[in-house]
Amino acid sequence: MPAGVARAGIIVLHEVWGLSAPVADLVVRLADCGYITAAPHLYHRIKDPVVTDGKFARARRYHNTLTTAGLTCDIESAQAWIRAQGAQKVAIIGFSMGGTLAL
């Protein structure tokens, strides 16, 4: 949450590695710039994995558990939460896998 009046909202979708520290840091930086920001952990249905060793095969196992219904629910829930906080406009950005989902 921003310290003052929000400019708008932003949904941030993580890459295949999970909700990593750099993505979490970006959420804080966007909030510091005045945006209500939400970054759903898209793998939350199978625990809370974050792949930090760069092993794509391991990350791919988590990626393969994603479903259209689950992703839609996560993104729509993030949008609903941002709107409930008062944002009139909501943008979506993502990185790698998250970028594809944002499109």
Side-chain angles (χ1 to χ4, degrees):
M1 292 294 295
V5 176
R7 302 171 83 176
I10 302 176
I11 299 168
V12 179
L13 301 178
H14 61 74
E15 62 262 309
V16 73
W17 311 114
L19 189 55
S20 62
V23 174
D25 180 60
L26 175 62
V27 168
V28 172
R29 289 186 290 144
L30 289 169
D32 288 345
C33 291
Y35 295 95
I36 300 168
T37 311
H41 195 318
L42 303 174
Y43 299 147
H44 70 93
R45 289 173 181 83
I46 55 167
K47 296 186 185 180
D48 191 21
V50 176
V51 178
T52 57
D53 60 9
K55 303 290 184 187
F56 186 74
R58 191 164 148 236
R60 185 63 148 178
R61 286 187 306 203
Y62 302 130
H63 173 270
N64 289 343
T65 67
L66 298 175
T67 66
T68 300
L71 292 167
T72 300
C73 179
D74 292 343
I75 293 167
E76 287 178 350
S77 294
Q79 181 183 27
W81 180 82
I82 289 171
R83 288 198 186 278
Q85 306 312 305
Q88 297 295 314
K89 297 180 181 179
V90 180
I92 186 167
I93 63 173
F95 301 92
S96 188
M97 174 191 79
T100 300
L101 295 171
L103 286 174

